Amino acid sequence: EGFSSVKCFLSLYRFQACVYFASVFQAMSCGIHYLASVFMAVTPNFVCGFPGNVSSVLYHNSSASRIEDIWTLWTSPENYIVVQLENGEIWELDQCSRSKREASLDLAYEYKGNKSVFPCSDGFLYDDTKWKSTVVTQWDLVCDREWLAKLIQPTFMLGVLIGAVIFGDIADRLGRQRVIWFTSAGQFVFGIAVAFTFDYYSFVIVRFLLAMVSSGYLVVAFVYVTEFVGIKARTWASMHVHAFFAMGIMIVALVGFLVRTWWVYQIFLSIATLPFVLCCWMLPETPFWLLSEERYEDAQKVIDTMARWNKVSTPCKVSELCSVQQDDLASGRMGDDDTSSAKKHNILDLFCNWQIARRTITVWLIWFTGSLGYYVFSLSSVSLGGNEYLNLFLIGAVELPCYIIACVAMDKLGRRNTLIPFLILSALICVLIMFIPQDFNILIILANMAGKFSIGVAFGLIYLYTAELYPTIVRSLAVGTGSMMCRVGSVVAPFCVYLRSVWIFMPLLLVGIMALLSGILTIMLPETLGKPLTNTLEEATEMGRNKKSWSEKTPPAHSGAALEKIEMFGQERVSTDK
């Protein structure tokens, strides 16, 4: 009877569906802010400014009366522009310096005489044919200040890392509802505030705060929806939180195409999810968290509301749910030693023996590789040639079928048997792209979409696979440390993309090597499809040593149905973050 009452509670799907779609809608804003910098921090073509009014401009064999007419002919930053001022002076304008020709009266592109070199004290001239204004042109983040522009995305990702840790902990202490309220409002407020920052440093600081609340929302929203949906729908529901994140990337491409001034672009991106901010206060607290805090009356009110929405005449009673939890916890303690169950676990338990240590290293590498590949493919999409807005839109759109295939494959083929081929496939695609001629833009874009698709499957799958590879006593720790490696990968990814200046294929080479290594090491991981969750490190070790015998074993009483019921009560929180 107790277990049927739990199923009764989890079968109220109409209410859960409304809560789910309301919550994941705001996940789009996370995708928006994570990738907003690809257009907001664009560095257009530029040259040094000149002291005076120009009368004529020369670029190779082409001449014009305005420097704006030359930008369409600009082919390489190594070239320079020759300008003649109204006072007769002739200047050569490079990107980071300018030269005044001495004793030259004829306007010619080639000049072998004496020149005086000057710094760019009169500022810079930017190509505004694509973007009227970016943060780079706003604060001259070029030449000796170029490194400041390259820190914009890494500092944002550092905020993502810190925000996930802080708000994940706060959500456990104060509740999911309050954190969702705060982070939703924070995304809107800080998103708008970014557009009105007065210098580079205030811009970075506000973006850092925006990253913290965006990351905090994504982590807590994942926990929030998994505590409301039933076990049968949990895999699909959690995977498709990422799909809404991908829709946010598509919105970035669309708004970037329509709005070419960075601060207006930022405002439009920030108000895209304003409807959720206005109504998020209606979202209830999860009954699981209320039960864990022994707020039984509040939990009963939420359950009664769910029953009314779903037109259930006999709603579940908190007393019945609590009795199931207490019975299962008691039965779990009967099979375990009291001292071992009371032991506090730390990160060293993830390296307690060779089997578990090897598993941990492999899982961490997959988390890191998945995040690295995800952001390298995304951030590089605007540099592939062709229409950069369409490129980013397609890179986001390809994720939508990716998660559907991942859900189907992981339930039909298994977690490991899905992860291995897609990791190796992403490595092969990275190699393939290197051999495609640079003139074949369409083929390059399609190959990058295929790479994003394959790494996206692996990236989405690793969340659930990690939770199944580790026993109950360290499961949250395993997923938490893996998620930290994921965020380290997201911090490293922008620097990896900058290596294109060293060699255009360097980012792909690094991602390919990491994906191939991860795929090979994944072969040594055990398959978890259809197997009971382990409860102790000994059981987890045995699963890795003898896969066949483990699958034929009868699961311990506290690792089977009872553990599943305890999991329903939110005893274990699996967090996730892009």
Side-chain angles (χ1 to χ4, degrees), residues 43 172 203 225 263 289 327 374:
T43 301
D172 284 340
F203 170 82
V225 299
W263 61 271
W289 185 82
D327 292 343
Y374 183 94

Side-chain angles (χ1 to χ4, degrees), residues 359-381:
R359 187 177 306 176
T360 299
I361 293 172
T362 301
V363 167
W364 282 3
L365 184 63
I366 297 171
W367 279 89
F368 178 84
T369 302
S371 180
L372 179 69
Y374 183 94
Y375 285 106
V376 165
F377 280 115
S378 297
L379 296 173
S380 299
S381 63

Side-chain angles (χ1 to χ4, degrees), residues 477-493:
L477 180 64
V479 176
T481 55
S483 185
M484 288 294 293
M485 292 303 298
C486 158
R487 294 167 194 138
V488 171
S490 66
V491 173
V492 172

Side-chain angles (χ1 to χ4, degrees), residues 92 126 172 322 340 413 448 570:
E92 291 182 9
Y126 296 96
D172 284 340
C322 291
S340 64
L413 303 178
N448 274 269

Side-chain angles (χ1 to χ4, degrees), residues 268-311:
F268 272 87
L269 291 179
S270 300
I271 65 176
T273 53
L274 180 60
F276 177 82
V277 178
L278 298 177
C279 66
C280 68
W281 59 271
M282 294 187 292
L283 293 176
E285 183 58 79
T286 68
F288 293 138
W289 185 82
L290 293 172
L291 288 173
S292 70
E293 295 294 309
E294 299 182 355
R295 293 169 55 180
Y296 302 120
E297 292 184 4
D298 293 333
Q300 187 64 60
K301 290 178 181 178
V302 175
I303 294 174
D304 292 340
T305 301
M306 296 170 70
R308 287 195 301 271
W309 273 61
N310 293 284
K311 299 180 180 179

Side-chain angles (χ1 to χ4, degrees), residues 17-52:
C18 294
V19 169
Y20 174 78
F21 285 107
S23 303
V24 299
F25 177 78
Q26 183 70 357
M28 288 193 297
S29 66
C30 300
I32 286 172
H33 295 305
Y34 276 42
L35 272 297
S37 66
V38 295
F39 296 130
M40 185 165 52
V42 169
T43 301
N45 295 324
F46 68 94
V47 292
C48 257
F50 45 84

